Amino acid sequence: MPFLSLRIVLLIGGLWAGLFAVATPVQAQSDTITVEKNTSVRGSVGETVNGKRVPLVGATVVWAGTTAGTNTDANGLFQLAVHPDQQRLIVSYVGYQADTLTVTDPSAELAITLRSERTLQEVTVSGAPGQIDRINPIQTELITQRTLAKAACCNLSESFETNASVSVSYSDAVTGAKQIQFLGLGGQYVQTNIENIPTVRGLATTFGLNYIPGTWITSIDVGKGAGSVVNGYESMSGQMNIELQKPDDANKLFLNGYANSFGRMEGNVNWSHTLNKKWSMGVLGHASTLRKEIDQNNDGFRDLPLYTQLNAINRYKYSSERFMAQFGVKALYEDRDGGQLSTFRSPVGIARYQFGNTTRRLEFFSKTAILYPDKPYKGLGLILNGVHHDQTAIIGFRPYNGQQRTFYANLIYQNIIGNTNHTYKAGLSYLLDDYNEVLASLATSRTESVPGMFAEYTYTYPEKMTVVLGGRFDYHNLFGPQWTPRAHVKYTINQNLVLRASAGRGFRVPNPISENMGFLVSSRAVFMYQNRNAGPYVNWNLTPLKPEVAWNYGLSLTQDFTILGKKASLVLDYYRTDFQNQLVVNVENSSLLYFYNLRDATHHGRSFANSFQAELNVQPARRFEVKVAYRLFDTQQSTAMPAGDTVLLPRMMVPRERVLLNVGYALPYDKWKFDATLQWNGPRRIHYLREGYVHAINQNSPTDYSPGFVNLNAQLSRGFRSGWEIYLGGENLTGFRQLDPIFAANDPYGPNFDAASRAWGPVTGRMVYIGFRFKPVN
């Protein structure tokens, strides 16, 4: 089940998914059996609707008189370590009567049914707009299926519309690629895992968010700051883990259809089937296309590329008392066609400017685990993953070919030292990446072979504090030994106030071409400098760029309280990412795109990102949710200017401020649901070239800032007892769009053409969509 992989402090990440079936019902306050030390309590929390049991997602399960607890996952399941001094569990959920039960036999699985605060006939399924993991010492927000359903959520890049921490925008005005901004940095600095397997990385960095359909997702775990060393060394600003529907999911069938006013159409199917008591299988399918040309600003370029994507997963699961295995195959095909309109006719016979990209991706994965039923804190698991990624593109007259072959293995052992207050994880990992990229006459290839080992110790002082100390050692065949220490602390000041702190190092090897494909849609010449005085290198194999290395430090404070008798929470956090080395992508010169190291023999620059966020979640009335958030970024990087000076400047395309307001209301049984999100995106620095923008002077270096703008998204949905749900919504309902995202669009083969470094806002205006969801009623 998806929840278990989210609790990486308690269990081995991703290896125990789907272990526990729905528990046998017991009366909430009756059974009494002798407590056994060093065990865990397992069970489910649900409600009864029309005589059928429905799981409650995000219900709180806490040992009475303590803050030691957990939340139920997307299937209403939970697992909680036995408390040494307490046997009574308190189970609560917003809109329901809390229940208390005495647990004296941890081996007996519990099935707890909560009742509505009003009547048995009126059941309210509700939850806070943002759910903070109460147990994890890492500041982690859980995005559930209920939250995802607040928007159309066609793919992962569109799953953060109601989230204050993650923002997504188009990287340019031609390719249609979307990029994450997290803690003031790009998505390449967030380690994005699918069921604890690093996935959106390498050549998939630019378009990878579009490769994960939203309807496949059961939950998203968004962790800020340095992540766990168990999952690798590439996490710098944060770590996300996405859980997909499992073969033994209680929802056997799910259908989704979508169409919007731009001509995009999409269909999805999730199917799970139990073959016998131990085997189950699942199929996830996706098909989407856009075949309508749109040019709202009449610049002769498609505002959105035409595309077709076919995407599928076939997976299997075996589960017994002492062994679990999951394995499957993923396959993807996507074709994009952007650039000038098909009706373009050049007066001098030059072919239309085209951006075309075709991706073929095949992936195999397996997760196996040896279980110890009498010692649930102990386990041994192995994760294996293989990727074959093939990508071809045409950018104007420049062809691109890229291939990536990846093999990943992670062996994890978990146990305790004496009792469950002292737990540890240790293991071995191996990563093999083979890259080959060719852009016109520029060729680069490298093979990375990285064996590693790691250990992570967790100390829990009941009711007060959790400390996690981790470290890993990796030997990179190109860059030598790498040491990655990380630490996390969670301190409970009182029952409603929690403080978290973290610090850690991360490193990654960048892929300059594939990670910056939007900048290639321009007339810029591409250069790479290992040493500024050595000049550009055509064969990139001779002088590979150095790894990016960064330290991240963070503090967060979570306060639960009441306003006029209604539950509310306030989250304050501050994080700083300080780069020891970084790939500098310099576009300050209008005719050049060149890459160099932040620090080498000739560069001694600085780069950092400071992020502050305040988020308030309130439920002013039953079934009514309000989220208000404010985010402030201070991100700066030393940049070489065309005149030769190096200046510390704000990072381009990162808005300094952002304000988000999200409201949601639902009728009983979720018969009708309404959600709306209003965002204000502050000004951001763009490439200096033209008049008409706000000018600023920084150490005699001119810069331009885009104006701020407001964006409104909303959705209305109607559910039926038969399992059908229809939804109607709109995006960018304020209709704001940037009128001139492409510079020199009338001369794409001329010296000034640029479709990326000045694209700061929405390219398209108001969009309306309609769709349906279907889950058979059990």
Side-chain angles (χ1 to χ4, degrees):
M1 300 301 175
F3 172 81
L4 298 182
S5 65
L6 303 176
R7 301 297 183 259
I8 59 177
V9 174
L10 301 179
L11 295 177
I12 297 174
L15 298 179
W16 312 137
L19 290 180
F20 308 112
V22 174
T24 302
V26 298
Q27 294 300 317
Q29 301 180 7
S30 58
D31 298 341
T32 56
I33 305 175
T34 303
V35 173
E36 210 176 298
K37 291 186 178 180
N38 298 335
T39 56
S40 298
V41 177
R42 309 170 188 172
S44 63
V45 179
E47 59 171 330
T48 301
V49 180
N50 296 328
K52 296 184 181 298
R53 182 176 173 79
V54 178
L56 290 177
V57 180
T60 301
V61 183
V62 182
W63 290 111
T66 76
T67 57
T70 187
N71 299 104
T72 56
D73 66 4
N75 293 304
L77 301 181
F78 71 89
Q79 176 167 319
L80 180 61
V82 167
H83 196 280
D85 303 316
Q86 184 58 256
Q87 292 180 284
R88 291 185 303 121
L89 274 180
I90 298 177
V91 184
S92 61
Y93 196 73
V94 177
Y96 291 78
Q97 298 176 9
D99 203 352
T100 302
L101 61 151
T102 301
V103 178
T104 51
D105 181 10
S107 64
E109 297 187 5
L110 308 176
I112 304 163
T113 301
L114 298 184
R115 297 182 177 184
S116 168
E117 290 178 344
R118 288 187 178 180
T119 65
L120 291 176
Q121 288 73 35
E122 181 179 328
V123 180
T124 304
V125 181
S126 60
Q131 297 180 6
I132 300 298
D133 190 330
R134 296 175 179 269
I135 304 302
N136 201 333
I138 301 175
Q139 178 71 1
T140 303
E141 183 175 355
L142 177 64
I143 303 176
T144 64
Q145 280 183 316
R146 181 176 178 82
T147 305
L148 294 172
K150 292 175 177 287
C153 189
C154 294
N155 57 56
L156 180 60
S157 71
E158 298 164 329
S159 301
F160 304 104
E161 291 184 357
T162 62
N163 186 274
S165 302
V166 184
S167 57
V168 182
S169 61
Y170 286 107
S171 62
D172 59 88
V174 172
T175 67
K178 291 188 175 182
Q179 62 181 4
I180 279 181
Q181 288 183 352
F182 188 71
L183 300 189
L185 296 169
Q188 67 269 32
Y189 300 111
V190 180
Q191 183 172 334
T192 304
N193 302 329
I194 303 296
E195 298 180 348
N196 289 293
I197 298 174
T199 302
V200 183
R201 57 183 300 275
L203 301 191
T205 300
T206 298
F207 298 108
L209 296 177
N210 296 323
Y211 298 161
I212 307 170
T215 54
W216 293 4
I217 300 172
T218 58
S219 65
I220 304 174
D221 195 6
V222 182
K224 291 187 176 182
S228 170
V229 295
V230 174
N231 295 323
Y233 51 78
E234 292 184 329
S235 170
M236 292 185 179
S237 62
Q239 194 171 83
M240 290 197 303
N241 186 61
I242 295 95
E243 289 292 328
L244 308 182
Q245 181 169 314
K246 303 299 187 292
D248 57 350
D249 194 282
N251 298 313
K252 302 300 182 183
L253 178 66
F254 176 77
L255 302 175
N256 177 76
Y258 169 93
N260 69 26
S261 56
F262 292 157
R264 175 177 171 181
M265 302 184 68
E266 179 173 317
N268 301 277
V269 57
N270 301 354
W271 180 66
S272 300
H273 180 64
T274 301
L275 300 176
N276 53 44
K277 291 184 178 180
K278 295 184 177 181
W279 282 95
S280 57
M281 68 171 291
V283 176
L284 306 178
H286 167 88
S288 60
T289 187
L290 172 64
R291 311 310 305 171
K292 178 183 176 182
E293 289 189 314
I294 302 172
D295 181 19
Q296 295 183 343
N297 60 357
N298 299 315
D299 62 0
F301 275 75
R302 294 169 178 167
D303 295 337
L304 297 172
L306 308 183
Y307 85 98
T308 297
Q309 183 185 122
L310 301 174
N311 200 347
I313 299 178
N314 182 205
R315 61 190 303 176
Y316 297 83
K317 178 182 176 182
Y318 173 84
S319 181
S320 66
E321 185 179 6
R322 296 188 176 273
F323 184 76
M324 186 276 290
Q326 292 192 65
F327 58 90
V329 177
K330 304 178 184 179
L332 175 136
Y333 170 85
E334 185 184 74
D335 180 72
R336 289 171 177 257
D337 183 5
Q340 288 180 305
L341 299 170
S342 59
T343 56
F344 172 78
R345 295 292 181 270
S346 171
V348 293
I350 300 176
R352 79 179 185 93
Y353 188 96
Q354 180 185 10
F355 169 80
N357 184 84
T358 300
T359 301
R360 297 174 177 85
R361 184 179 174 95
L362 187 64
E363 184 174 350
F364 166 80
F365 68 93
S366 73
K367 298 192 288 186
T368 56
I370 298 175
L371 312 176
Y372 300 85
D374 55 335
K375 300 178 179 179
Y377 49 80
K378 181 179 178 180
L380 177 66
L382 176 65
I383 299 176
L384 298 174
N385 180 241
V387 175
H388 175 97
H389 183 105
D390 186 85
Q391 187 173 345
T392 59
I394 181 70
I395 309 168
F397 286 145
R398 291 188 285 194
Y400 167 83
N401 288 278
Q403 292 83 37
Q404 175 185 347
R405 312 289 183 269
T406 294
F407 174 75
Y408 170 78
N410 201 13
L411 179 67
I412 310 168
Y413 177 73
Q414 173 176 296
N415 207 338
I416 65 173
I417 303 174
N419 57 55
T420 53
N421 291 338
H422 304 270
T423 66
Y424 69 91
K425 300 173 188 175
L428 303 172
S429 67
Y430 180 69
L431 177 64
L432 177 66
D433 278 326
D434 182 52
Y435 294 103
N436 290 277
E437 292 183 273
V438 179
L439 175 68
S441 61
L442 296 176
T444 176
S445 64
R446 73 178 189 277
T447 300
E448 299 181 43
S449 178
V450 192
M453 62 180 67
F454 59 87
E456 187 175 79
Y457 164 75
T458 301
Y459 168 72
T460 302
Y461 184 81
E463 305 180 29
K464 271 296 180 182
M465 185 171 63
T466 302
V467 179
V468 181
L469 301 176
R472 59 179 300 130
F473 175 82
D474 298 274
Y475 187 84
H476 200 290
N477 64 313
L478 299 179
F479 305 107
Q482 301 288 335
W483 167 243
T484 307
R486 292 174 184 171
H488 304 88
V489 178
K490 170 180 168 285
Y491 182 74
T492 303
I493 300 174
N494 57 51
Q495 187 173 357
N496 297 313
L497 184 61
V498 177
L499 174 68
R500 289 177 173 88
S502 65
R505 180 183 188 268
F507 81 96
R508 63 182 293 273
V509 181
N511 293 279
I513 298 179
S514 61
E515 293 176 10
N516 298 278
M517 192 163 287
F519 286 121
L520 300 178
V521 187
S522 67
S523 59
R524 299 174 183 273
V526 182
F527 290 87
M528 187 194 76
Y529 288 79
Q530 177 73 10
N531 183 311
R532 181 184 294 183
N533 299 323
Y537 290 91
V538 175
N539 187 344
W540 292 14
N541 296 313
L542 298 179
T543 55
L545 289 165
K546 295 179 181 179
E548 296 183 297
V549 180
W551 284 84
N552 183 280
Y553 315 92
L555 286 172
S556 68
L557 197 66
T558 303
Q559 172 74 63
D560 295 328
F561 58 99
T562 59
I563 299 178
L564 300 178
K566 304 297 182 181
K567 291 185 177 181
S569 66
L570 175 66
V571 182
L572 303 175
D573 60 53
Y574 169 80
Y575 289 86
R576 177 181 174 88
T577 307
D578 193 1
F579 283 91
Q580 306 302 299
N581 208 347
Q582 188 180 25
L583 173 69
V584 178
V585 183
N586 194 313
V587 295
E588 301 299 334
N589 189 315
S590 299
S591 61
L592 295 179
L593 167 64
Y594 64 99
F595 309 98
Y596 56 87
N597 292 311
L598 179 70
R599 298 178 184 176
D600 56 24
T602 57
H603 300 93
H604 304 282
R606 299 173 57 204
S607 180
F608 59 84
N610 296 315
S611 170
F612 169 77
Q613 180 172 310
E615 179 179 323
L616 175 66
N617 294 287
V618 184
Q619 292 184 317
R622 298 188 63 199
R623 304 182 300 273
F624 185 35
E625 303 168 351
V626 177
K627 174 193 290 186
V628 181
Y630 171 77
R631 194 177 67 189
L632 176 66
F633 289 150
D634 175 25
T635 61
Q636 300 188 47
Q637 182 184 68
S638 297
T639 306
M641 304 304 293
D645 298 332
T646 298
V647 181
L648 187 64
L649 291 175
R651 187 180 297 272
M652 289 180 58
M653 299 302 176
V654 178
R656 179 174 173 82
E657 296 176 285
R658 182 190 182 212
V659 177
L660 179 142
L661 171 64
N662 172 260
V663 296
Y665 180 75
L667 291 178
Y669 302 105
D670 283 347
K671 184 176 182 180
W672 286 95
K673 290 184 294 184
F674 172 77
D675 294 281
T677 302
L678 183 70
Q679 299 182 41
W680 176 75
N681 296 274
R684 64 196 75 191
R685 189 175 81 87
I686 61 175
H687 182 264
Y688 174 75
L689 186 65
R690 298 165 294 170
E691 299 293 334
Y693 294 99
V694 180
H695 293 281
I697 303 299
N698 188 324
Q699 298 183 19
N700 298 320
S701 173
T703 59
D704 275 345
Y705 283 83
S706 71
F709 61 90
V710 175
N711 185 289
L712 174 64
N713 300 330
Q715 178 180 280
L716 178 68
S717 62
R718 170 69 161 92
F720 300 90
R721 294 184 177 180
S722 59
W724 288 92
E725 180 182 357
I726 57 174
Y727 56 91
L728 172 68
E731 297 179 2
N732 194 14
L733 294 177
T734 53
F736 180 86
R737 59 187 174 88
Q738 184 182 357
L739 299 179
D740 52 355
I742 302 176
F743 189 71
N746 61 337
D747 187 17
Y749 295 105
N752 298 317
F753 175 69
D754 191 343
S757 63
R758 301 170 189 87
W760 49 264
V763 179
T764 57
R766 187 177 297 106
M767 183 271 285
V768 178
Y769 62 83
I770 189 172
F772 70 86
R773 304 181 183 103
F774 174 69
K775 288 182 181 180
V777 178
N778 297 327

